[in-house]
Amino acid sequence: MSQRIRVTELYKTLLHLGKDWPKGYDFFRKRLHGAFMKNKDEKDPEKIEKMIAHGQYIIKELETLYMLKKYRTLKRRYYKDQ
């Protein structure tokens, strides 16, 4: 897959994950857009690969945070009285 397609896919995935962001979707979208626009003129393929890898790491971290939030919520509901 070309880097351009991978970057677009990364952006869309991050936007989707940002829907549950605590400070709101608009805050997340503006910050994400700014980060991608800051690096829009990058031409070095190695540096772009590093940025894509970092973006994949961010996706994993966000998923982990959301799963932890879900776990804590369920734990509070079911083990409230103990």
Side-chain angles (χ1 to χ4, degrees), residues 26-75:
D26 288 333
F27 175 81
F28 187 88
R29 190 185 64 76
K30 287 177 187 175
R31 298 282 303 263
L32 180 65
H33 184 75
F36 273 76
M37 293 307 288
K38 182 176 80 171
N39 297 309
K40 72 177 182 175
D41 295 325
E42 187 62 48
K43 301 291 184 210
D44 183 23
E46 290 179 15
K47 193 167 182 184
I48 293 172
E49 283 299 322
K50 285 183 182 179
M51 287 185 226
I52 290 172
H54 182 70
Q56 295 297 333
Y57 172 76
I58 297 296
I59 287 173
K60 289 178 185 175
E61 288 291 317
L62 285 174
E63 288 173 343
T64 304
L65 285 173
Y66 293 152
M67 289 185 341
L68 182 62
K69 180 182 174 185
K70 181 180 177 180
Y71 168 76
R72 286 179 176 164
T73 301
L74 288 172
K75 187 176 177 183

